Amino acid sequence: TTQQGDHPETCVQNTNYVSTSPSSDHFEETTESTFNHPSTANEVTDSNEAANQKADLSDQPANESAEVPVAENVTVDKSIAMKFLQIEANLCETLRDLVFRDPVTHVYNPLDYARETHKDYVMKYCCSHKDVLFLGMNPGPFGMAQNGVPFGDTTFVKNFLKISGNVTPPALQHPKRPISGLDCKHSEVSGTRFWGLFSTLCK
C-alpha cells in the first residue's frame, strides 16, 4: 500500500511482501510440545465433567468457593510457523520485481530488513491453530515498519511479547521515516491499543 499526505513532495511505499529469511533457512524444521493455556469461561469440552463439577459445587458450604479448572491443553507445533514463513517467502519472491513509478520514492520492506525480529514473533506466536485473525492495513511507520511485528509498538514488542533480533535499516530511507528497529522511541498508537488490550487480558 502507498502512504501519502505526511510529506506532499514524496510518497513512502510500505510493504511487507518481501522474503522473510534467506533461502538457506530450514523451513522443514518441526517440533511439538504442549502447554496449558487459559480458556474462556464459556468453553466447555466435556458435558459430563461439567455436570460433575456442578454437583461438587452443590455439596460445598455457601461461604466456600470452589476452584473450577479453566485450562485447556494447546498443542504447540513449530511446523505451522515454518509453513507460514515459507508462504510469506513465496509471496515476497513473487512481488520482488514490482517497479513503482513517481511519486513513489522510497520502498520499505520490513520482512526483509527486520526479518530476524519478524521470524522471532512468528516462531513464538504462530505455532498453534487460531480461532481469530486480526488484519492491519499496512505496516505502521513506528510499528511493523520498525521491527517487523504487526502493530509493533516497541515497548510492547520488547517487554510484553519478548521479541529480540537485529534490524538492519534499508539503504534508502526517507529522512522523515528513519528505521531504528527495537530502539525506536516513537509510540505506535494502534500497537499501544492492540497489545495494551491483550497485556491486560492476559494478566
Side-chain angles (χ1 to χ4, degrees), residues 11 31 49 52 65 82 106 121 125 161 163 166 175 189 191 194:
C11 179
T31 56
E49 181 179 351
N52 292 335
S65 59
M82 300 308 294
H106 295 73
Y121 169 77
Y125 300 105
L161 297 175
I163 299 300
N166 295 320
V189 176
F194 186 83

Side-chain angles (χ1 to χ4, degrees), residues 33-45:
S33 59
T34 60
F35 67 94
N36 287 332
H37 178 74
S39 65
T40 56
N42 61 348
E43 290 178 338
V44 179
T45 58

Side-chain angles (χ1 to χ4, degrees), residues 26-98:
H26 301 288
F27 289 108
E28 69 275 12
E29 174 187 351
T30 61
T31 56
E32 292 190 1
S33 59
T34 60
F35 67 94
N36 287 332
H37 178 74
S39 65
T40 56
N42 61 348
E43 290 178 338
V44 179
T45 58
D46 191 322
S47 58
N48 291 332
E49 181 179 351
N52 292 335
Q53 291 175 359
K54 184 176 181 180
D56 293 340
L57 288 174
S58 62
D59 294 335
Q60 296 187 10
N63 61 346
E64 293 185 10
S65 59
E67 294 184 2
V68 180
V70 292
E72 61 179 1
N73 289 327
V74 175
T75 299
V76 175
D77 185 355
K78 293 296 184 180
S79 69
I80 296 176
M82 300 308 294
K83 290 176 182 177
F84 183 84
L85 291 170
Q86 184 65 69
I87 291 172
E88 283 186 328
N90 293 342
L91 289 173
C92 290
E93 283 301 318
T94 301
L95 299 175
R96 184 179 292 278
D97 295 330
L98 284 177

Side-chain angles (χ1 to χ4, degrees), residues 107-109 113 168-173 179:
V107 179
Y108 284 71
N109 305 312
Y113 59 79
T168 304
L172 181 61
Q173 302 180 66
I179 299 301

Side-chain angles (χ1 to χ4, degrees), residues 87-139:
I87 291 172
E88 283 186 328
N90 293 342
L91 289 173
C92 290
E93 283 301 318
T94 301
L95 299 175
R96 184 179 292 278
D97 295 330
L98 284 177
V99 177
F100 300 94
R101 298 183 176 88
D102 291 338
V104 177
T105 58
H106 295 73
V107 179
Y108 284 71
N109 305 312
L111 296 194
D112 186 12
Y113 59 79
R115 68 168 64 93
E116 286 190 20
T117 45
H118 175 74
K119 184 176 181 180
D120 189 32
Y121 169 77
V122 172
M123 294 300 293
K124 285 179 177 176
Y125 300 105
C126 185
C127 54
S128 63
H129 294 283
K130 310 299 182 183
D131 296 324
V132 179
L133 176 66
F134 292 93
L135 297 177
M137 287 180 58
N138 60 304

Side-chain angles (χ1 to χ4, degrees), residues 165-187:
N166 295 320
V167 175
T168 304
L172 181 61
Q173 302 180 66
H174 192 280
K176 293 184 179 180
R177 292 291 183 266
I179 299 301
S180 305
L182 295 178
D183 294 324
C184 179
K185 303 301 182 183
H186 290 274
S187 176

